[in-house]
């Protein structure tokens, strides 16, 4: 679930608080978008390692499963 979906519909009566909330939400969304390409590259590297395309010692196995959504 993205931040925009998770916090959709939240509104504050105080315009200053609402503006701060929207700025914070914008930063969270930007961070999610920046992280997406990194996660995709990581997943590809894990798949390549599983297929033997790269050596395990140069990649290093992760203990966390790759999200393949």
């Amino acid at each position: 679930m993205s931040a925009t979906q998770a916090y959709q519909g939240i509104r504050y009566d105080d315009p200053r608080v609402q503006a701060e909330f929207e700025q914070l939400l914008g930063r969270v969304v930007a961070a999610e978008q920046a992280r997406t390409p990194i996660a995709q590259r990581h997943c590809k590297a894990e798949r390549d390692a599983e297929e033997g395309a790269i050596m395990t010692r140069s990649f290093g196995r992760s203990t966390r499963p790759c999200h393949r959504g």
Side-chain angles (χ1 to χ4, degrees), residues 29-39:
V29 169
E32 285 179 344
Q33 291 171 348
R35 190 173 54 232
T36 298
I38 295 167

Side-chain angles (χ1 to χ4, degrees), residues 32-48 59 66-69:
E32 285 179 344
Q33 291 171 348
R35 190 173 54 232
T36 298
I38 295 167
Q40 291 169 346
R41 287 194 309 267
H42 181 82
C43 287
K44 182 184 181 318
E46 281 189 347
R47 284 191 301 273
D48 289 349
F59 175 64
C66 182
H67 174 70
R68 296 180 182 165

Side-chain angles (χ1 to χ4, degrees), residues 3-26:
T4 52
Q5 293 171 332
Y7 299 108
Q8 186 175 11
I10 295 177
R11 297 284 176 250
Y12 295 94
D13 293 334
D14 186 331
R16 290 176 294 157
V17 174
Q18 182 66 32
E20 288 179 29
F21 174 74
E22 289 173 5
Q23 287 178 343
L24 178 61
L25 186 57

